[in-house]
Amino acid sequence: MVVSEEPQAAVEGDAAVSKKAAKKAAKAAEKQQKKAEHKASSEQPAPASEEDVSVGRYGTYKLLQSSGEHRERVYKDVVDLSVKDHGTSVWVRARLQTSRAKGKQCFAVLRQSFSTVQLLVSVNDERKVSKQMVKFVGNITKESIIDVHATVVKTASPVESCTISAVELVADEVWVVSSARAQLPLQIEDAARPEKNDDPEALRIRVNQDTRLDNRVLDLRTPANQAIFRIEAGVCRLFRDILTKKGFVEIHTPKIISAASEGGANVFTVSYFKSNAYLAQSPQLYKQMAIAADFDKVFTVGAVFRAEDSNTHRHLTEFVGLDLEMAFKHHYHEVVDTIAQTFTDIFRGLRDEFAAEIATVGQQYRVEPFKFLDPPLRLEFKQAIEMLKEAGVTQGEEDDLSTPDEKLLGRLVKAKYDTDFYILDKYPLAVRPFYTMPDPNNPKSSNSYDMFMRGEEILSGAQRIHDPEFLTERAKHHAIDISKIAAYIESFRLGCPPHAGGGIGLERVVMLYLGLENIRKTSMFPRDPKRITP
Amino acid sequence: MVVSEEPQAAVEGDAAVSKKAAKKAAKAAEKQQKKAEHKASSEQPAPASEEDVSVGRYGTYKLLQSSGEHRERVYKDVVDLSVKDHGTSVWVRARLQTSRAKGKQCFAVLRQSFSTVQLLVSVNDERKVSKQMVKFVGNITKESIIDVHATVVKTASPVESCTISAVELVADEVWVVSSARAQLPLQIEDAARPEKNDDPEALRIRVNQDTRLDNRVLDLRTPANQAIFRIEAGVCRLFRDILTKKGFVEIHTPKIISAASEGGANVFTVSYFKSNAYLAQSPQLYKQMAIAADFDKVFTVGAVFRAEDSNTHRHLTEFVGLDLEMAFKHHYHEVVDTIAQTFTDIFRGLRDEFAAEIATVGQQYRVEPFKFLDPPLRLEFKQAIEMLKEAGVTQGEEDDLSTPDEKLLGRLVKAKYDTDFYILDKYPLAVRPFYTMPDPNNPKSSNSYDMFMRGEEILSGAQRIHDPEFLTERAKHHAIDISKIAAYIESFRLGCPPHAGGGIGLERVVMLYLGLENIRKTSMFPRDPKRITP
């Protein structure tokens, strides 16, 4: 069971084992524990023939099973180490990123998230560091978690290879908390290597996307990934905080639904006891019902599911939807303005609060700063058609934009207005869902809009039809089975204010904000038609 | 199509219709629009034989389709009306809760969320209010949304039936924005009636749970429901804010998984393209993988699914999980203390920020104030057995607590310690999942805990086994198919800090905080074995 290249973690052996353990389960546990104890032949390397002055100062902890409370020991975070700490003793728990033992010295790099610091373990009588101890540290497998007791020392010249460059740690105790296997399926340094085309590093080994995803736990430890998912958490938090301040109420909508309510295609079927159910493609109908139920302004953050067999850089079968819906008084532009301001505030929040994370992503990927205007640019669909026409692209005024045309338009808009974010209003009615309110001034148009980041759609929204008869007619026109959306249509027979809203794809926002080229980079455990593991 | 009892909403007819409309979709929309125009015979009641001084001051709006921007009109929120506004003119958009016309006067109640105010429409030459207008207002169906222009008037004596009792609105314009059908499937006043047993109202008509849920949009408009879901949003926000301040990172875990990873029972199957997948019963394995991937402290809020055929007051097939996981240094009690403090802070936040909402729920349901200690009470499982024994209940020391025994224990704890929240630590190993760390001092026990509110479990958690070999042995002991959790076990071969965490059921927390008797009251659109609509 124990693979040979793996240092053996010792299992704590001080359990007071009751000989009268009656229950089968407990007996089995006891047996396992004894077996583990047996295997754990030593927690400290056997003393060599010559005396080891470091005995009791290095080794492998027994399995940390919470046997005692050692709370008097305070640990320092790597990110907080500075010249102010020069001369002080600290405990640090971190990963051993790399180590290089040479004679009486071992240089190592310790890592916590995207912060790194140099560690020196050097034979030293005063510090009671023996050559056995140095050898032990040199043999600790990369990615193992270790406890280090050390003195913080100001470095003569900056340590270029670490994020903490002004100080290093000079160890007098080193303990292995959790060992990593010796043969790692990918190397963090390979997975973290810059991927900018003009970088001299660019020709060296890289890790392909599938290998990364197959070994996602390791891949997620790269500085860029540590930063990406902190930025993603930031987008979520900013979205919610900004809307909460505007009086929005967070709701939760069901993922299991009784009918493929937004048209039958692209919906996953679930076995539901003796019947079938479906996975919601969006919270659309439910957030509108919340509006009809007097919640006035609502948002919801949650999983949405699309059974689309699209194997592209920007499609997932499961993603996180940031949805909002809002009653308005006179014009759906009240809602467009609210969403626009929310985006501006998110972009500002990211820029101001996540500078370190954005810079960290930039060390691996080419991250062009994200440009935005305040208030954001709003164009009408017909203006977009005009811009494309001037660029030589013929676009029907009632056709949806193709993905390449959207990207071209993004470049044209960027060149003309210097913004990576804009709003495209007044889409053709024919290309929008049945519940979209037609434009009162042009029956071919509608009160609907998409929003774009770097030329890719990240939000789709509209004023919704709040009149039950009109909605019924439009649903029939779209060949929607009315009986399957009866409760939804009934909502509007109970009195409902005019309202509009939109749905945002979280992973797309993060991908495009950072200018990454694949949505799998911004989904922690992505799902696509070919991948549902790990 | 138009049901006869329903006042006809007029559809705006000023669309500039292109005669050359080429596309089929646009033509159809146009046709629908014309049809709607046709039906909308009048937006204002036909003038009666005698002159109507109120012409242009009441009626039904055309369908609000965003044809113009009337942003100069500012609306006042009902909750903000006070004696300070005496004598001023305001616009209010609200629901007509009830109306009572009698001769030359019509008294009505306007409602926004859980705020209400009295409206008076009275024949008055100076105000240009005709008897036709009073009659029109008297005929507006309950639950319709109306725009009112009115003078705020200080009342001689408090209006007991409204939340705003010091002022009333005296109208000079009344417009219907959206009509409700005349025959409502349930009456808000019935759905909102107090359900306290000693209340004189208790014997009057009530609405049963299924009728409520079948007509959830109406049911959600009761003051209690308006308050409950705002409190629920508050619990979510407090949970996230408190943890974010403690350095936790929000993550999103997949709901579609490749194998029934936590044991085969109670899992929903999804058709996934040409194969099958499953709905995650918890984010357990993924949040642990995030810890192994160096995120250190994580939380996630999202849907979890249980295919349990349990038809009880506290089981749902889909609910919102508030999950957290945290690396610790020495002892899992570091994590227990963090969770405990999080709960204390949530309870304090609810008490301080949601007093009005809690009071509103209390008008319909018996809400006993929720009592908690700071720091919270922590008992060990063996102490609980002792307390139950003293109360005459025999409980095996390796058996799980039954639901009635949990409730009894809750009462005993409340009587002895005066708290509605407590932590029960050190559960028997035999009753916990395979990944639970055994107690180092007692092989029959484990480093696991449940937390309780008013005697019902709302969190289950534990230290997890972070050693891959030990974890494999425990999984095999539980007859888990190791091949199905390979990626999970592999995480611990890559080095993983000791960690612990827990999963909280959001709907249970809100139900028990308020002392409600059914979890369907705290799920906006609940899912159980018999209900997946609306």
Side-chain angles (χ1 to χ4, degrees):
Chain A
M1 201 69 84
V2 180
V3 281
S4 61
E5 74 272 17
E6 195 176 7
Q8 179 57 50
V11 175
E12 207 158 48
D14 58 351
V17 177
S18 159
K19 292 294 168 198
K20 288 177 188 166
K23 302 269 165 169
K24 201 174 150 193
K27 269 193 182 159
E30 185 186 343
K31 201 172 147 193
Q32 284 165 18
Q33 196 146 325
K34 288 206 159 185
K35 206 168 152 190
E37 282 170 41
H38 200 73
K39 285 191 296 181
S41 51
S42 73
E43 55 168 309
Q44 170 119 6
S49 54
E50 80 188 276
E51 200 200 354
D52 183 354
V53 294
S54 301
V55 168
R57 301 181 150 262
Y58 69 100
T60 299
Y61 284 152
K62 289 187 286 182
L63 180 67
L64 220 154
Q65 212 173 341
S66 310
S67 57
E69 318 225 352
H70 305 280
R71 302 218 198 164
E72 71 284 1
R73 184 188 293 178
V74 174
Y75 288 80
K76 185 98 180 171
D77 286 337
V78 170
V79 71
D80 296 331
L81 291 169
S82 76
V83 288
K84 283 185 208 155
D85 303 307
H86 176 73
T88 62
S89 283
V90 293
W91 276 102
V92 171
R93 181 174 293 179
R95 275 192 201 279
L96 184 82
Q97 177 160 294
T98 55
S99 71
R100 189 164 39 86
K102 209 176 168 185
K104 293 183 165 182
Q105 285 193 323
C106 177
F107 281 95
V109 173
L110 297 183
R111 190 186 75 238
Q112 274 177 351
S113 188
F114 50 85
S115 300
T116 50
V117 67
Q118 182 162 271
L119 174 73
L120 173 61
V121 192
S122 176
V123 174
N124 183 312
D125 279 352
E126 201 180 316
R127 213 177 275 121
K128 291 195 178 165
V129 174
S130 65
K131 62 183 180 188
Q132 292 93 329
M133 177 169 163
V134 173
K135 192 180 165 197
F136 174 82
V137 175
N139 285 331
I140 297 172
T141 48
K142 281 198 244 184
E143 294 299 305
S144 292
I145 295 172
I146 60 176
D147 267 8
V148 170
H149 187 254
T151 306
V152 182
V153 177
K154 202 176 154 180
T155 53
S157 57
V159 183
E160 299 292 354
S161 58
C162 291
T163 64
I164 302 297
S165 57
V167 296
E168 63 179 2
L169 298 174
V170 181
D172 51 56
E173 283 195 47
V174 177
W175 297 92
V176 176
V177 176
S178 173
S179 297
R181 66 192 313 165
Q183 308 279 325
L184 295 174
L186 60 82
Q187 303 302 316
I188 301 294
E189 62 205 275
D190 295 336
R193 188 158 288 130
E195 299 200 1
K196 307 164 190 180
N197 288 332
D198 59 354
D199 196 291
E201 292 266 305
L203 294 175
R204 297 179 62 183
I205 197 168
R206 292 190 203 166
V207 182
N208 78 42
Q209 189 71 56
D210 272 326
T211 305
R212 286 178 186 278
L213 296 179
D214 288 342
N215 301 285
R216 190 59 158 163
V217 165
L218 268 182
D219 181 46
L220 287 171
R221 292 181 192 166
T222 63
N225 277 336
Q226 289 289 311
I228 285 169
F229 291 98
R230 282 171 170 80
I231 293 168
E232 190 155 285
V235 171
C236 267
R237 172 169 59 75
L238 289 163
F239 174 80
R240 288 183 307 243
D241 287 356
I242 293 162
L243 292 176
T244 299
K245 267 189 207 128
K246 291 180 194 289
F248 280 71
V249 177
E250 181 177 16
I251 61 168
H252 299 280
T253 65
K255 313 306 169 214
I256 295 176
I257 56 174
S258 61
S261 48
E262 293 180 65
N266 302 339
V267 65
F268 288 113
T269 305
V270 183
S271 297
Y272 198 80
F273 300 100
K274 282 167 187 158
S275 181
N276 276 338
Y278 304 90
L279 291 182
Q281 293 165 280
S282 84
Q284 184 61 35
L285 310 192
Y286 292 95
K287 61 184 182 165
Q288 286 192 254
M289 287 195 264
I291 296 297
D294 285 353
F295 286 92
D296 198 44
K297 299 170 185 174
V298 298
F299 71 85
T300 185
V301 176
V304 295
F305 305 92
R306 302 281 164 90
E308 265 178 276
D309 200 0
S310 298
N311 294 280
T312 77
H313 77 286
R314 63 175 194 163
H315 285 89
L316 294 170
T317 51
E318 177 184 341
F319 62 92
V320 177
L322 307 177
D323 269 86
L324 76 167
E325 201 72 22
M326 174 181 157
F328 64 82
K329 294 296 195 289
H330 306 296
H331 199 289
Y332 76 98
H333 283 172
E334 295 164 41
V335 180
V336 174
D337 290 349
T338 299
I339 300 174
Q341 199 187 22
T342 301
F343 270 108
T344 309
D345 288 351
I346 289 173
F347 299 147
R348 197 176 283 116
L350 290 177
R351 186 192 64 194
D352 296 348
E353 295 177 43
F354 290 88
E357 283 79 1
I358 293 167
T360 300
V361 178
Q363 281 158 22
Q364 178 161 3
Y365 303 103
R366 176 181 301 287
V367 177
E368 299 285 343
F370 189 84
K371 296 214 171 174
F372 60 97
L373 304 173
D374 186 9
L377 175 67
R378 193 168 74 210
L379 298 174
E380 291 206 354
F381 195 78
K382 60 186 178 201
Q383 292 172 277
I385 290 177
E386 205 54 46
M387 285 175 78
L388 286 170
K389 201 175 161 191
E390 280 168 25
V393 175
T394 313
Q395 162 76 32
E397 63 173 292
E398 289 191 64
D399 296 330
D400 208 351
L401 294 172
S402 68
T403 304
D405 287 352
E406 281 180 351
K407 287 197 175 176
L408 171 59
L409 188 60
R411 288 194 297 274
L412 298 171
V413 168
K414 178 75 180 271
K416 189 167 177 184
Y417 300 98
D418 198 30
T419 178
D420 288 311
F421 176 75
Y422 74 100
I423 300 162
L424 197 52
D425 196 14
K426 297 269 165 228
Y427 267 67
L429 181 63
V431 303
R432 307 297 282 199
F434 73 93
Y435 45 73
T436 307
M437 182 67 87
D439 181 344
N441 304 314
N442 177 359
K444 289 192 231 173
S445 182
S446 66
N447 292 351
S448 68
Y449 40 86
D450 276 7
M451 302 195 186
F452 293 86
M453 287 171 66
R454 301 195 202 260
E456 296 193 44
E457 180 245 311
I458 46 100
L459 172 140
S460 197
Q463 179 181 354
R464 328 297 185 177
I465 298 173
H466 62 284
D467 177 77
E469 312 315 327
F470 193 24
L471 183 61
T472 303
E473 290 191 30
R474 293 295 300 156
K476 282 181 180 164
H477 174 72
H478 278 257
I480 305 277
D481 183 347
I482 300 297
S483 70
K484 290 188 173 169
I485 51 169
Y488 170 67
I489 292 180
E490 173 70 10
S491 309
F492 305 109
R493 293 208 169 87
L494 306 171
C496 181
H499 60 287
I504 300 164
L506 172 63
E507 293 87 349
R508 283 197 189 177
V509 169
V510 179
M511 170 179 80
L512 294 164
Y513 181 79
L514 294 169
L516 302 175
E517 90 298 351
N518 195 312
I519 200 158
R520 289 160 188 80
K521 287 201 176 358
T522 56
S523 173
M524 193 170 262
F525 297 100
R527 296 300 185 240
D528 65 31
K530 294 183 175 131
R531 175 179 293 280
I532 47 174
T533 54
Chain B
M1 200 69 86
V2 179
V3 281
S4 61
E5 75 270 18
E6 193 174 12
Q8 180 56 50
V11 173
E12 207 157 46
D14 58 353
V17 175
S18 159
K19 291 295 169 200
K20 291 177 187 164
K23 301 269 166 170
K24 202 174 148 194
K27 267 193 183 157
E30 187 187 340
K31 201 172 145 194
Q32 285 166 19
Q33 197 145 323
K34 288 207 159 185
K35 206 168 153 191
E37 283 170 40
H38 199 73
K39 284 190 297 181
S41 50
S42 72
E43 54 168 309
Q44 171 116 7
S49 54
E50 82 187 276
E51 201 202 355
D52 183 354
V53 295
S54 301
V55 168
R57 301 182 148 263
Y58 69 101
T60 301
Y61 285 151
K62 289 186 288 184
L63 179 67
L64 220 155
Q65 213 173 338
S66 311
S67 58
E69 317 227 352
H70 305 279
R71 302 214 199 169
E72 72 283 2
R73 185 188 293 177
V74 174
Y75 289 80
K76 185 96 179 174
D77 286 339
V78 171
V79 70
D80 295 332
L81 292 169
S82 76
V83 287
K84 284 184 205 155
D85 303 306
H86 176 74
T88 62
S89 282
V90 295
W91 277 102
V92 171
R93 180 173 292 178
R95 277 192 199 278
L96 184 83
Q97 176 160 297
T98 55
S99 71
R100 191 165 36 90
K102 210 175 168 187
K104 294 183 167 184
Q105 285 194 321
C106 176
F107 281 95
V109 173
L110 297 184
R111 189 186 76 237
Q112 275 176 350
S113 189
F114 50 84
S115 299
T116 49
V117 67
Q118 182 162 271
L119 174 73
L120 174 61
V121 191
S122 176
V123 174
N124 183 310
D125 279 350
E126 200 181 317
R127 214 177 274 121
K128 293 196 177 165
V129 175
S130 65
K131 63 182 179 189
Q132 292 93 328
M133 178 168 162
V134 173
K135 192 181 165 200
F136 174 83
V137 175
N139 285 330
I140 297 172
T141 47
K142 280 197 242 184
E143 293 299 306
S144 293
I145 294 173
I146 60 175
D147 267 8
V148 170
H149 188 253
T151 307
V152 182
V153 176
K154 203 177 154 180
T155 54
S157 59
V159 184
E160 300 290 356
S161 58
C162 290
T163 63
I164 304 295
S165 57
V167 295
E168 64 180 0
L169 298 174
V170 181
D172 51 56
E173 286 195 45
V174 177
W175 298 92
V176 176
V177 176
S178 173
S179 297
R181 66 191 313 164
Q183 307 281 322
L184 295 174
L186 60 82
Q187 303 303 315
I188 301 293
E189 62 204 274
D190 294 336
R193 187 158 288 130
E195 299 200 0
K196 307 164 190 182
N197 288 333
D198 57 355
D199 196 291
E201 293 268 304
L203 293 176
R204 297 179 61 185
I205 195 167
R206 290 190 204 169
V207 183
N208 78 41
Q209 189 71 53
D210 274 324
T211 305
R212 288 177 185 276
L213 295 179
D214 288 341
N215 302 283
R216 191 58 158 163
V217 165
L218 268 181
D219 180 46
L220 287 171
R221 293 182 192 165
T222 62
N225 277 337
Q226 289 289 311
I228 285 170
F229 291 98
R230 283 171 169 78
I231 293 168
E232 191 155 284
V235 171
C236 266
R237 174 169 59 75
L238 289 163
F239 174 79
R240 287 184 306 242
D241 288 356
I242 293 161
L243 292 177
T244 299
K245 269 191 205 126
K246 291 179 194 288
F248 280 70
V249 178
E250 181 176 16
I251 61 169
H252 299 280
T253 65
K255 312 307 171 214
I256 295 176
I257 56 173
S258 62
S261 49
E262 293 180 66
N266 302 338
V267 66
F268 288 114
T269 306
V270 183
S271 297
Y272 198 80
F273 300 98
K274 283 168 184 156
S275 180
N276 276 337
Y278 305 90
L279 291 181
Q281 293 165 281
S282 85
Q284 184 62 34
L285 310 192
Y286 291 95
K287 61 182 182 166
Q288 285 191 256
M289 285 194 265
I291 296 298
D294 285 353
F295 286 91
D296 198 45
K297 301 171 183 173
V298 298
F299 71 85
T300 186
V301 176
V304 295
F305 306 92
R306 303 281 165 90
E308 265 179 276
D309 199 0
S310 298
N311 295 281
T312 77
H313 79 285
R314 64 174 192 163
H315 285 89
L316 294 171
T317 52
E318 178 185 340
F319 63 91
V320 178
L322 307 177
D323 268 87
L324 75 167
E325 200 72 24
M326 174 182 156
F328 63 82
K329 294 295 194 289
H330 307 295
H331 199 290
Y332 75 97
H333 282 171
E334 295 164 41
V335 180
V336 174
D337 289 349
T338 299
I339 300 174
Q341 199 187 21
T342 301
F343 271 108
T344 308
D345 287 352
I346 289 174
F347 299 146
R348 196 176 285 117
L350 291 176
R351 185 192 63 193
D352 296 346
E353 296 177 44
F354 291 88
E357 284 80 1
I358 293 166
T360 299
V361 177
Q363 281 158 22
Q364 178 161 3
Y365 303 104
R366 174 181 304 287
V367 177
E368 299 286 343
F370 189 86
K371 296 216 172 173
F372 59 97
L373 304 173
D374 186 9
L377 175 67
R378 193 168 75 210
L379 298 173
E380 292 205 356
F381 196 79
K382 63 185 176 200
Q383 292 173 279
I385 291 177
E386 204 54 43
M387 285 175 78
L388 285 170
K389 200 175 161 190
E390 280 168 25
V393 174
T394 312
Q395 161 76 31
E397 63 175 291
E398 289 190 65
D399 296 330
D400 208 351
L401 294 172
S402 69
T403 304
D405 287 352
E406 282 179 352
K407 288 198 176 177
L408 170 59
L409 187 60
R411 289 193 297 274
L412 298 172
V413 168
K414 179 76 180 272
K416 189 166 176 184
Y417 300 98
D418 197 29
T419 179
D420 288 309
F421 176 75
Y422 74 99
I423 300 161
L424 197 52
D425 194 15
K426 297 266 163 231
Y427 267 68
L429 181 64
V431 302
R432 306 299 279 200
F434 73 93
Y435 45 74
T436 308
M437 183 65 88
D439 182 343
N441 304 314
N442 176 0
K444 290 193 232 173
S445 182
S446 66
N447 292 351
S448 69
Y449 40 87
D450 276 6
M451 301 193 187
F452 293 85
M453 287 172 66
R454 299 196 203 259
E456 296 194 42
E457 181 245 311
I458 46 100
L459 173 140
S460 196
Q463 177 180 356
R464 328 297 184 175
I465 298 173
H466 61 285
D467 177 77
E469 312 315 325
F470 193 24
L471 183 61
T472 302
E473 290 191 28
R474 292 296 299 156
K476 282 181 180 166
H477 175 72
H478 278 257
I480 305 278
D481 182 348
I482 300 297
S483 70
K484 291 189 173 168
I485 52 169
Y488 170 68
I489 292 181
E490 174 69 10
S491 309
F492 305 109
R493 293 208 168 87
L494 306 171
C496 182
H499 60 286
I504 301 163
L506 172 62
E507 294 87 348
R508 283 197 188 177
V509 169
V510 179
M511 169 179 82
L512 294 163
Y513 182 80
L514 294 169
L516 302 175
E517 91 296 351
N518 194 313
I519 200 157
R520 289 159 189 79
K521 286 200 174 6
T522 56
S523 173
M524 193 171 264
F525 298 100
R527 296 300 184 242
D528 65 32
K530 292 182 178 132
R531 175 179 293 279
I532 49 174
T533 56

